Structure formats: structure tokens, C-alpha cells
Amino acid sequence: MPGGLLRRRSATAGVPVSEPAPADLVALASAAAQEAGELLVARHGRVAVAATKSSPTDVVTEMDHAAEQLIRDRLLAARPTDAILGEEGGQTGAGPVRWIVDPLDGTVNYLYGLPGWGVSVAAEVGGVVVAGAVCVPLQHSTFTATLGGGAWLESAWEGSPRRLACNRGVVLSDALVATGFGYSSGQRAEQGHVVAAVLPRVRDIRRAGAAAVDLCSVAAGRVDAYYEQGTHYWDIAAGALIAREAGAMTGGLRGDEAGEAMTLAADPALFAQLRDLLASLDADRLPAG
Ligand code: IPD
Ligand code: CA
């Protein structure tokens, strides 16, 4: 993994200033995500809905807030001038590094005591995600990546971190495809039509319930591809870097970046096949209203 300080010139004074090394950022992201994961494990499956957000099915628990606060405290203790965009707390600060935090991705899994949830922390420098960590506590796993440094899995079942590579050479008809659904019923109706058309053309579909974990599953070869309309930046910032560093391509359907209209991840050849199918279904058309 890369180390050392990157150097750039200050725009104002012409004086060299130090940019943080991705290796340092990923270490901090991973530590904060794991500590939040431990906090969440202590209450797993034993919390109540605290509020709803975009729709009655879009729930938030007190633990989403507690985990985000812990991550914010840890990040700012180490790097007090950084900015943070968190799912629950929004954007704060305006420093050279912006952290993108989903304190509990897969809240509904967490609420029901299902194990497929994670904590996602990414670091952006100059608008580019350079480091990311997704901790999946009940899989005893932490996925990490740095830009250009590969994607890695640290797991309680494996002695040392393992470099990840997504599955290669899988044709669409043999592909195990993960997807997810939004929280609004109008969007779900559209997504239902799309998945009904995709299902007969692929090996099978998985709806595991956490976008960040789905992207890590692409990286680890546990699924061949992932697509979803309606993801937020905090759902995908770390996971998309991890998938890319494992050799996957990420993006939307029309040459655009992965985002709310569509997030698609797979090895480049499968990406192209699934992109063409999804584009023919207008799967990135955002529902009216
Ligand atoms: C959700 C999960 C889910 C995906 C939704 C996300 P949350 O995040 O990642 O799998 O389908 O699009 O909003 O609400 O559990 O943080
Ligand atoms: Ca999320």
C-alpha cells in the first residue's frame, strides 16, 4: 500500500504544503469504522426506530446517530480541520480532506438482527476519493482501498490482509447480480419492473440490503455485479473505490459517474453487457416527484 506524504504547492503562498498520504487516511478510516462497528454490535437487533426520513420505510435508529457521532469525534480528534459529510449529520467543516460517512449502511438489516450491515468511511482529497474502509462487523471483516494501492480484505478468518480481485470473464447470463431498492414506493415500482426484466437474463439476483457491502462483494468476487438506482454518495464513496481497486469498473449508464441515477459495478466486460441491458430498460430514469 502507498505511504509517504504527497507534496503540493500552496495556491496562495507558493509554499509547499503536505497532503495527507492515502495510507494514513485509510488507517484512520478503518480504525473509526471498526470502532463504530463495535459500538453497533453491542446493540445489534435490540434497537427501535427513532425516526423516519424520506419515507415511512426509511428508518433511522438512535444507533445510526451514535455511530456517526463516534466517527466524527475520532476523525476530528486526529484531523481537526477536515470536513465531514455524514448521512445523519450532513456537511460540516471545510478542510483539505472531506470524509464521507455512512455510519450504518443497511439500517433495516440492523434493525431486524440480520448480519448484512456495515460502516462506511471514505476520504476525499480535491474531490477525489483516495481512501475508503467498509467494516462489516458480523462478518468480522474490514474492506479497505487506497487510490492506486489495491483493495484489501482483513478478516478474522484469514491470517493477513488479502488483496481482492473481482470476478473476470463472467457473461451476463452466468452473472450473480446484486441490487437494491430505494425507499419511495414510486421508485420501487420502477425498480420492480427493471429487476423483473433483468432476472430472466442472469444467473440470479441478490438483494442483501447494504449498498456499501454489495460493492465490497463485487470486489471480493462474492457477486459478479451490482446495480442500483437511488444510492447516495455516502452509500458508495468507500465501496466504489474498493470495487475499482479490485479491478471493477463503476459508473452510470451513459458514460457518467456512479451516482443517484445509477450505480453499476462489475468487471469491464460484464459492466458493458449489464449497462446496455439496463440502459435499454431506462433503469436510470428517476421517478417523477
Ligand atoms: C440503504 C442500503 C440499501 C440500499 C439503499 C440505501 P441505509 O442505506 O444501502 O441496501 O438499497 O439504497 O439507502 O438507509 O441502510 O443507510
Ligand atoms: Ca446507507
Side-chain angles (χ1 to χ4, degrees):
M1 292 204 233
L5 287 177
L6 303 175
R7 300 223 159 249
R8 66 176 165 83
R9 299 227 154 240
S10 152
T12 47
V15 180
V17 293
S18 296
E19 281 186 356
D24 295 335
L25 297 176
V26 81
L28 180 55
S30 180
Q34 289 184 44
E35 199 181 334
E38 285 164 20
L39 176 78
L40 290 162
V41 166
R43 298 285 304 277
H44 182 234
R46 292 189 287 119
V47 296
V49 171
T52 59
K53 295 190 284 188
S54 61
S55 83
T57 49
D58 185 3
V59 296
V60 58
T61 72
E62 69 196 77
M63 295 308 290
D64 293 75
H65 290 288
E68 182 162 323
Q69 192 57 54
L70 182 150
I71 294 166
R72 284 177 178 271
D73 291 346
R74 295 300 176 271
L75 297 177
L76 292 179
R79 301 185 47 85
T81 61
D82 286 352
I84 301 177
L85 171 65
E87 176 167 10
E88 309 306 335
Q91 171 93 22
T92 56
V97 173
R98 183 168 76 140
W99 297 89
I100 315 296
V101 177
D102 190 337
L104 173 46
D105 186 44
T107 301
V108 174
N109 282 348
Y110 182 78
L111 188 64
Y112 279 76
L114 289 166
W117 51 271
V119 180
S120 175
V121 180
E124 228 187 30
V125 179
V128 175
V129 176
V130 299
V134 175
C135 175
V136 191
L138 296 176
Q139 291 176 4
H140 305 285
S141 296
T142 302
F143 300 84
T144 59
T146 52
L147 186 62
W152 299 81
L153 168 59
E154 204 177 314
S155 147
W157 293 291
E158 300 182 31
S160 48
R162 174 166 62 92
R163 191 163 185 162
L164 298 175
C166 71
N167 293 340
R168 297 271 182 201
V170 180
V171 295
L172 187 61
S173 56
D174 289 344
L176 183 61
V177 178
T179 192
F181 307 117
Y183 287 114
S184 91
S185 61
Q187 184 177 36
R188 286 179 170 189
E190 298 285 337
Q191 289 172 321
H193 291 306
V194 170
V195 79
V198 172
L199 181 56
R201 324 255 304 239
V202 298
R203 181 187 298 277
D204 209 342
I205 292 285
R206 292 291 180 269
R207 197 292 191 245
V213 183
D214 286 333
L215 286 160
C216 293
S217 294
V218 172
R222 295 172 179 170
V223 296
D224 298 305
Y226 161 71
Y227 79 90
E228 180 169 350
Q229 186 197 68
T231 54
H232 298 286
Y233 191 37
W234 46 76
D235 298 318
I236 63 167
L241 178 68
I242 292 164
R244 281 193 299 276
E245 288 294 327
M249 180 176 282
T250 65
L253 298 187
R254 311 189 194 264
D256 46 339
E257 290 193 4
E260 195 183 346
M262 179 56 63
T263 295
L264 171 57
D267 106 89
L270 179 59
F271 182 102
Q273 293 173 60
L274 188 53
R275 177 200 59 210
D276 291 350
L277 172 60
L278 292 169
S280 74
L281 299 167
D282 279 335
D284 58 346
R285 189 183 50 208
L286 291 165

